[in-house]
Amino acid sequence: MPYKEPKIEKLYYSIGEVAKIFDVNTSLIRFWEKEFDVIKPHKNKKGNRLFTQKDIDNFHLIYHLVKERGMTLKGAQKKLKENKEGTENNFEVVKRLQDIRQVLVDIKESI
């Protein structure tokens, strides 16, 4: 049985890495950080933002609400304040359904 490398997950991501994940400018990341109180990056002595996985998950949720569903920033803020858990559950369901759809499309193309 061959040796299998354990998957290494990063503890902190730079603002450039987060921007690349979402394919947006770093200025949008900084703007959303100011607008949404659920995003609280750590800052090192130089003032560089260091985002945790929880911050990235919150960015996914905000990105989904604003970019994919077309909500305004105020609407997204209100939705997260009123029912964050329900919004997260809805987002997870949508993400899983998209994954299932992609698998079915891949199967259809291979036939």
Side-chain angles (χ1 to χ4, degrees):
M1 183 184 230
Y3 175 73
K4 191 172 187 179
E5 286 286 328
K7 185 176 179 183
I8 299 173
E9 292 189 22
K10 295 177 74 168
L11 295 178
Y12 295 105
Y13 297 86
S14 71
I15 191 168
E17 291 171 323
V18 175
K20 187 181 266 189
I21 290 170
F22 294 100
D23 194 27
V24 296
N25 293 329
T26 56
S27 60
L28 182 66
I29 302 295
R30 286 191 293 271
F31 178 71
W32 281 358
E33 175 193 342
K34 291 178 197 168
E35 293 294 317
F36 294 93
D37 57 351
V38 295
I39 300 169
K40 298 177 182 85
H42 300 282
K43 292 188 179 180
N44 63 10
K45 291 181 182 179
K46 291 172 65 177
N48 296 339
R49 292 165 176 82
L50 300 172
F51 296 93
T52 62
Q53 186 60 47
K54 184 178 178 185
D55 291 324
I56 293 176
D57 293 340
N58 287 328
F59 270 119
H60 270 289
L61 192 57
I62 294 167
Y63 186 87
H64 172 71
L65 292 174
V66 175
K67 297 287 187 180
E68 294 173 357
R69 293 197 44 204
M71 295 181 82
T72 63
L73 291 179
K74 295 291 182 194
Q77 289 169 347
K78 185 177 178 183
K79 187 149 180 91
L80 288 175
K81 282 184 182 176
E82 290 177 353
N83 190 10
K84 184 175 186 221
E85 187 175 318
T87 305
E88 287 174 343
N89 291 338
N90 187 22
F91 174 66
E92 288 297 321
V93 168
V94 168
K95 195 164 79 171
R96 285 189 183 138
L97 287 173
Q98 288 173 340
D99 292 342
I100 291 170
R101 183 180 188 280
Q102 185 60 46
V103 169
L104 292 174
V105 167
D106 291 343
I107 291 171
K108 180 182 174 188
E109 290 176 355
S110 67
I111 293 178

